[in-house]
């Protein structure tokens, strides 16, 4: 019984595992799938939103800065076109103009200067000593002479401070001259420096060579090529805007938004850490993951609890079923014991009837005259009465035997099957005689003991023998019972030459409550009980039948493992 | 004259022998048979038999089959079934087939004799009635 329980436990454990797995899979798969899709969609739309926001912002600031530059240029142009070379080349007038400008716009204009076509600064107003300086070789001068309006890159120049120049070219007596103003770097820088988004977002301006035009808020890539690389390449949106993500030298992923300034001479670059830009999204993702993990944990816990409870119920139901089966087997046992008892009752009643009749005959004779004088007549009559009484008692005993049902012992022990069969054949002989059935035993000698419950084995064989006799009841016939060994299996064959079993019935023959006998005759349990008992012994029961030829039941029971060697030796 | 003519049928020889002697002693004219087939043969030959005492369990033609045949061939002959416990159901089935009564083995002799008397009485009654009907028929024709 112990190994049985162990395999049972193993079965229930694996059943629990399978149920947990299935429930978890079925619940978690859609959960993760839906969460994944939603997160992906959310991520995509959030990214679009962030990109839109950034580009709009950068666009606005770019327009601001462009506007600032255009405004400064317009101021200088106004001066140049209104007053002309003659007035402006007077230093006192120029100084007045600078004061006016500084008064109106704050300290954006650092200085003003008028340069003639030879590059000589004719007049200068400002904090530096730059009168009569020759700019002929200066880079900005060369460029400024070629265009009507010019805004330079940021450079250090003679004064040694970063600054840039706004210049307007005009004509005086057929000669070009230039009015130039220096824009305060700090004022310009502020415009760009003020663009701050989140914790890490900041902006700066680069020229085409990748040189910085403003002072960035924090360290940027030392390598100019890093910027030049993406400034030159990459697809651009409308208005020259370009948004992309790139892993920076720090190893962090960053978003870059670039847009051209100053007719494409400069490039405004906005840079922000991806983690910062998507901080809200990341927070939402984190919350979602926490919920997901908690949900998954909940599902698995529920699956575990439910499966355990379900399997517990199944186990209880199985136990119940097993008990029911045992009851069915038990009732079958009682049925065969009852049949046996009926046979015995009949057998005993016949001889008892003869004895009682003989006693009655003696009584009849005693009534005759020759015995009436005998002094022992009373004693004779008492004895005869006693025989009659005891005869009646025998009758009552057999009557009780009919209703007598004892619990048979299901414990396994060594059984000599041949002896058991011999006994059963003797018991069935009377029934067989009335059915005109001849029982032939073909029992192989020297067979090993079988480990089984004798009463259960007896029940199986008695059922098979009774069935065979029933089958041949009308016609009479021959019932063969044989035993032999086949490998490690003990074979018992019970065959009859009765009418046989139709194929349609053959497959249902071991089903409980299947019977071909008239109502009230068979319970339909006999063979199903046989099947249950043989299976319990680890054996097999098979049936072969041919219509008109007969039926053979073959019971094959494995020999006990340790006995196998002995039987073969 | 005997009270009744009886045929005793059983496969157990000592039982038949003793029982026959006892029935004879009680003024019942008894003949015996040891199987269903033999019983039918005896009835064929001896038309005076009024009551058959028939054992149910017999090899070959059993009591029920014999009863069926007797009732078919000699409907007026009364049959008393004799049975062990195991075949009470069969005896009841016999009653349905027209047996007069049934007794279980071992049976009380006085009871058996009184049953035989009753059976024989019934048979004679039926016979008289049939005879009367036939007589009336004949008388009616003459008038």
């Amino acid at each position: 019984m112990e190994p049985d329980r162990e395999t049972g436990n193993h079965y229930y454990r694996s059943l629990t595992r399978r149920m947990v797995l299935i429930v978890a899979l079925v619940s978690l798969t859609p959960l993760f799938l839906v969460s994944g899709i939603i997160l992906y969609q959310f991520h995509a739309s959030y990214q679009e939103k962030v990109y839109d926001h950034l580009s709009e912002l950068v666009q606005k600031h770019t327009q601001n800065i462009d506007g600032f530059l255009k405004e400064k240029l317009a101021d200088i142009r106004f001066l140049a076109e209104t007053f002309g070379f003659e007035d402006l080349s007077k230093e006192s007038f120029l100084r007045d103009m600078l004061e006016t400008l500084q008064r109106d716009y704050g300290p954006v204009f650092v200085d003003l200067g008028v340069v003639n076509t030879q590059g000589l600064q004719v007049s200068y107003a400002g904090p530096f000593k730059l009168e009569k300086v020759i700019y002929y070789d200066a880079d900005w001068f060369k460029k400024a002479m070629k265009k009507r309006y010019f805004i330079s890159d940021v450079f250090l120049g003679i004064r040694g401070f970063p600054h840039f120049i706004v210049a307007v070219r005009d004509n005086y007596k057929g000669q070009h001259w230039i009015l130039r103003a220096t824009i305060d770097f700090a004022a310009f820088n502020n415009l760009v420096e003020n663009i701050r988004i989140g914790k890490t977002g900041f902006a700066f301006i680069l020229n085409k060579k990748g040189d910085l035009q403003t002072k960035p808020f924090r360290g940027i890539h030392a390598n100019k090529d890093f910027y030049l690389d993406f400034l030159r390449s990459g697809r651009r949106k409308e208005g020259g805007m370009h948004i992309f993500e790139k892993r920076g030298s720090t190893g962090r992923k960053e978003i870059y938004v670039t847009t051209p300034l100053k007719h494409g001479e400069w490039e405004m670059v906005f840079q922000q850490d991806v983690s910062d830009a998507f901080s809200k999204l990341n927070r939402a993702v984190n919350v979602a993951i926490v919920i997901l993990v908690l949900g998954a944990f909940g599902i698995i816990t529920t699956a575990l609890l439910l499966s355990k409870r379900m399997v517990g119920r199944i186990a209880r139901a199985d136990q119940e079923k097993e008990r029911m089966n045992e009851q069915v087997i038990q009732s079958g046992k009682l049925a065969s014991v009852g049949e046996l008892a009926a046979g015995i009752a009949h057998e005993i009643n016949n001889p008892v009837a003869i004895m009682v009749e003989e006693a009655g005959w003696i009584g009849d004779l005693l009534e005759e005259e020759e015995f009436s004088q005998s002094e022992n007549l009373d004693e004779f009559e008492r004895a005869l009465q006693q025989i009659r009484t005891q005869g009646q008692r025998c009758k009552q005993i057999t009557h009780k035997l009919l209703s007598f049902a004892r619990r048979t012992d299901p414990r396994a022990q060594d059984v000599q099957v041949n002896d058991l069969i011999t006994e059963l054949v003797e018991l069935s002989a009377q029934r067989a005689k009335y059915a005109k059935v001849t029982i032939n035993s073909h029992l192989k000698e020297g067979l090993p003991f079988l480990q089984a419950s004798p009463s259960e084995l007896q029940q199986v064989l008695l059922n098979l023998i009774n069935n065979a006799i029933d089958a041949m009841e009308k016609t009479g016939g021959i019932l063969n019972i044989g035993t032999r060994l086949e490998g490690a299996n003990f074979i018992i064959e019970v065959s009859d030459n009765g009418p046989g079993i139709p194929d349609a019935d053959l497959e249902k023959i071991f089903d409980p409550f299947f019977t071909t006998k008239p109502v009230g005759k068979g319970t339909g349990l006999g063979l199903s009980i046989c099947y249950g008992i043989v299976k319990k012994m680890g054996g097999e029961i098979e049936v072969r039948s041919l219509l008109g030829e007969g039926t053979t039941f073959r019971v094959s029971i494995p020999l006990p493992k340790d006995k196998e060697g002995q039987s073969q030796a | 004259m005997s009270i009744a003519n009886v045929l005793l049928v059983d496969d157990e020889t000592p039982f038949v022998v003793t029982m026959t002697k006892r029935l004879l002693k009680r003024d019942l004219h008894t003949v015996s048979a040891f199987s269903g087939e033999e019983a039918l043969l005896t009835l064929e030959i001896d038309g005076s038999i009024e009551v058959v005492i028939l054992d149910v369990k017999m090899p070959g033609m059993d009591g029920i089959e014999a009863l069926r045949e007797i009732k078919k061939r000699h409907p007026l002959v009364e049959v008393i079934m004799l049975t062990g416990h195991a075949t009470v159901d069969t005896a009841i089935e016999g009653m349905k087939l027209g047996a007069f009564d049934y007794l279980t083995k071992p049976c009380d002799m006085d009871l058996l004799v009184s049953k035989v008397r009753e059976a024989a009485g019934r048979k004679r009654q039926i016979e008289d009635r049939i005879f009367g009907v036939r007589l009336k028929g004949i008388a009616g024709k003459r008038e």
Side-chain angles (χ1 to χ4, degrees):
Chain A
M1 281 289 119
E2 216 39 50
D4 247 27
R5 195 171 301 150
E6 258 172 46
T7 50
N9 284 345
H10 179 76
Y11 165 74
Y12 291 124
R13 270 204 301 278
S14 78
L15 187 67
T16 314
R17 270 201 301 277
R18 275 204 301 277
M19 281 175 76
V20 170
L21 208 70
I22 288 167
V23 172
L25 258 178
V26 167
S27 323
L28 291 181
T29 310
L31 182 73
F32 280 113
L33 222 61
V34 168
S35 308
I37 290 168
I38 288 175
L39 271 181
Y40 175 77
Q41 298 276 11
F42 185 58
H43 183 268
S45 63
Y46 193 82
Q47 190 184 41
E48 203 181 313
K49 197 192 122 196
V50 166
Y51 280 8
D52 283 352
H53 176 70
L54 285 181
S55 48
E56 195 188 317
L57 207 83
V58 171
Q59 192 83 45
K60 208 178 86 193
H61 283 289
T62 307
Q63 277 164 8
N64 254 359
I65 291 162
D66 251 344
F68 173 82
L69 292 175
K70 273 183 194 153
E71 194 185 287
K72 300 307 152 221
L73 190 64
D75 290 342
I76 301 301
R77 225 176 84 198
F78 175 76
L79 275 183
E81 281 168 11
T82 314
F83 301 106
F85 183 75
E86 267 182 55
D87 286 341
L88 291 172
S89 54
K90 290 173 196 150
E91 270 192 23
S92 58
F93 185 80
L94 200 63
R95 209 170 290 129
D96 285 349
M97 286 302 110
L98 181 65
E99 274 170 22
T100 313
L101 284 173
Q102 281 177 345
R103 196 169 53 239
D104 289 352
Y105 303 112
V108 174
F109 293 99
V110 178
D111 59 10
L112 286 173
V114 175
V115 183
N116 67 13
T117 191
Q118 283 82 32
L120 177 72
Q121 184 150 274
V122 184
S123 63
Y124 172 79
F128 304 104
K129 298 258 177 248
L130 294 172
E131 294 88 354
K132 308 298 175 208
V133 171
I134 294 168
Y135 285 117
Y136 191 77
D137 289 326
D139 190 41
W140 70 267
F141 178 72
K142 287 176 189 163
K143 283 178 183 162
M145 285 302 279
K146 285 177 194 152
K147 289 184 190 165
R148 250 191 90 86
Y149 314 111
F150 172 71
I151 300 170
S152 78
D153 286 351
V154 175
F155 66 107
L156 291 173
I158 298 166
R159 67 192 73 174
F161 288 104
H163 63 289
F164 71 96
I165 283 164
V166 180
V168 175
R169 192 190 69 188
D170 211 345
N171 280 327
Y172 178 67
K173 292 178 181 171
Q175 295 270 318
H176 286 321
W177 66 279
I178 286 168
L179 175 63
R180 69 154 195 87
T182 306
I183 305 295
D184 180 36
F185 179 74
F188 177 68
N189 198 46
N190 267 347
L191 285 177
V192 181
E193 215 177 39
N194 282 343
I195 307 173
R196 295 288 309 280
I197 298 168
K199 284 179 191 155
T200 58
F202 66 96
F204 52 90
I205 292 170
L206 291 174
N207 68 5
K208 280 196 163 170
K209 291 175 200 148
D211 296 324
L212 277 171
Q213 301 302 304
T214 57
K215 198 168 141 277
F217 160 69
R218 56 171 196 165
I220 60 158
H221 298 285
N223 190 356
K224 278 199 273 184
D225 292 339
F226 178 82
Y227 295 105
L228 284 174
D229 193 33
F230 69 71
L231 284 181
R232 282 176 199 145
S233 66
R235 59 205 158 74
R236 284 170 185 261
K237 281 163 71 174
E238 208 183 332
M241 179 158 298
H242 184 203
I243 301 179
F244 58 94
E245 287 177 20
K246 199 167 178 172
R247 200 165 287 283
S249 57
T250 51
R252 275 184 305 223
K253 219 174 173 195
E254 287 158 335
I255 298 181
Y256 293 93
V257 183
T258 73
T259 177
L261 257 181
K262 220 180 97 183
H263 307 293
E265 284 175 43
W266 289 354
E267 194 84 29
M268 163 90 119
V269 179
F270 174 82
Q271 176 183 335
Q272 189 178 13
D273 281 2
V274 167
S275 60
D276 183 31
F278 293 114
S279 63
K280 275 184 186 164
L281 174 72
N282 289 340
R283 208 175 306 139
V285 168
N286 287 343
V287 169
I289 285 172
V290 167
I291 290 170
L292 205 63
V293 166
L294 285 176
F297 181 74
I299 285 171
I300 288 169
T301 314
T302 314
L304 264 171
L305 287 175
L306 274 181
S307 302
K308 278 210 167 149
R309 200 177 299 167
M310 287 292 283
V311 169
R313 277 188 192 175
I314 289 170
R316 274 201 299 282
D318 284 352
Q319 279 169 8
E320 193 81 4
K321 206 176 99 190
E322 214 160 289
R323 263 206 303 282
M324 296 264 286
N325 271 345
E326 259 167 37
Q327 275 172 9
V328 168
I329 289 178
Q330 193 61 33
S331 57
K333 275 177 199 165
L334 297 182
S336 36
V337 167
E339 258 175 69
L340 202 65
I344 292 167
H346 188 82
E347 282 321 292
I348 289 175
N349 274 344
N350 270 332
V352 169
I354 294 167
M355 278 153 60
V356 171
E357 281 321 309
E358 296 297 348
W361 179 233
I362 295 169
D364 290 352
L365 295 177
L366 281 179
E367 281 167 19
E368 286 177 10
E369 269 179 51
E370 49 189 296
F371 293 105
S372 61
Q373 302 304 316
S374 170
E375 55 188 65
N376 285 330
L377 186 65
D378 289 350
E379 205 48 34
F380 280 133
E381 276 176 352
R382 192 202 56 79
L384 287 173
Q385 188 52 44
Q386 196 55 241
I387 291 174
R388 271 194 289 274
T389 312
Q390 295 310 318
Q392 287 301 318
R393 197 171 149 202
C394 278
K395 193 171 151 182
Q396 276 160 14
I397 289 170
T398 56
H399 182 75
K400 275 183 200 154
L401 192 61
L402 283 174
S403 48
F404 175 74
R406 70 194 159 92
R407 273 184 88 85
T408 46
D409 188 2
R411 273 176 304 184
Q413 57 191 76
D414 285 339
V415 183
Q416 184 50 261
V417 180
N418 286 353
D419 292 351
L420 192 75
I421 290 174
T422 311
E423 265 173 45
L424 287 171
V425 167
E426 277 168 20
L427 277 173
S428 308
Q430 192 66 22
R431 258 202 90 203
K433 188 178 124 193
Y434 290 126
K436 282 198 272 183
V437 170
T438 315
I439 302 182
N440 293 329
S441 305
H442 312 278
L443 309 175
K444 198 167 162 109
E445 281 176 27
L447 290 177
F449 285 98
L450 204 58
Q451 188 70 21
S453 151
S455 57
E456 284 183 348
L457 199 57
Q458 176 177 315
Q459 196 184 353
V460 171
L461 295 172
L462 199 62
N463 262 320
L464 295 179
I465 292 169
N466 282 342
N467 276 350
I469 294 176
D470 285 347
M472 298 186 288
E473 204 167 20
K474 284 179 188 145
T475 54
I478 298 163
L479 170 58
N480 286 311
I481 304 178
T483 53
R484 62 173 192 277
L485 276 185
E486 258 183 34
N489 289 319
F490 197 110
I491 308 293
I492 306 168
E493 272 187 344
V494 179
S495 55
D496 63 59
N497 60 353
I501 303 164
D503 279 351
D505 291 346
L506 214 52
E507 51 195 50
K508 293 181 280 188
I509 202 158
F510 294 115
D511 292 353
F513 305 112
F514 175 79
T515 180
T516 56
K517 293 177 186 174
V519 176
K521 195 88 199 292
T523 55
L525 286 172
L527 281 176
S528 99
I529 288 163
C530 288
Y531 184 82
I533 291 174
V534 173
K535 279 279 166 191
K536 208 176 94 182
M537 290 175 184
E540 297 284 340
I541 181 165
E542 293 163 11
V543 58
R544 284 195 310 274
S545 188
L546 270 175
L547 279 178
E549 300 262 324
T551 307
T552 303
F553 282 89
R554 182 175 185 272
V555 177
S556 155
I557 297 166
L559 288 174
K561 284 266 156 60
D562 48 346
K563 300 262 165 96
E564 222 170 284
Q566 287 176 22
S567 68
Q568 280 164 2
Chain B
M1 193 207 157
S2 70
I3 302 166
N5 293 330
V6 177
L7 170 62
L8 176 63
V9 191
D10 200 320
D11 61 317
E12 298 277 350
T13 318
F15 181 81
V16 174
V17 170
T18 313
M19 182 69 101
T20 309
K21 285 186 218 165
R22 296 191 72 193
L23 291 171
L24 281 169
K25 202 169 164 35
R26 284 164 177 75
D27 286 336
L28 295 166
H29 181 261
T30 307
V31 288
S32 53
F34 298 95
S35 70
E37 291 89 346
E38 203 185 328
L40 284 168
L41 209 65
T42 313
L43 279 169
E44 216 57 61
I45 297 161
D46 187 349
S48 67
I49 290 167
E50 292 161 303
V51 180
V52 180
I53 301 171
L54 187 59
D55 184 31
V56 174
K57 277 272 176 177
M58 284 186 295
M61 180 186 266
D62 70 3
I64 292 294
E65 267 177 77
L67 169 66
R68 207 174 273 134
E69 279 303 307
I70 292 167
K71 280 285 159 189
K72 204 160 88 185
R73 297 186 198 174
H74 313 281
L76 293 181
V77 172
E78 295 292 348
V79 180
I80 295 171
M81 307 295 288
L82 209 53
T83 168
H85 272 292
T87 49
V88 168
D89 289 345
T90 334
I92 291 167
E93 197 189 331
M95 297 290 289
K96 285 183 196 157
L97 286 171
F100 179 77
D101 206 344
Y102 82 93
L103 293 170
T104 53
K105 275 186 192 174
C107 60
D108 184 61
M109 183 47 74
D110 295 339
L111 186 66
L112 179 63
V113 172
S114 75
K115 289 281 176 202
V116 171
R117 273 175 202 271
E118 281 174 38
R122 190 169 87 162
K123 189 190 178 249
R124 285 169 197 164
Q125 237 179 354
I126 294 169
E127 272 175 347
D128 285 351
R129 224 178 284 159
I130 293 169
F131 185 69
V133 170
R134 280 190 186 157
L135 215 60
K136 267 187 196 166
I138 296 163
K141 267 181 190 170
R142 283 198 180 160
E143 273 173 20

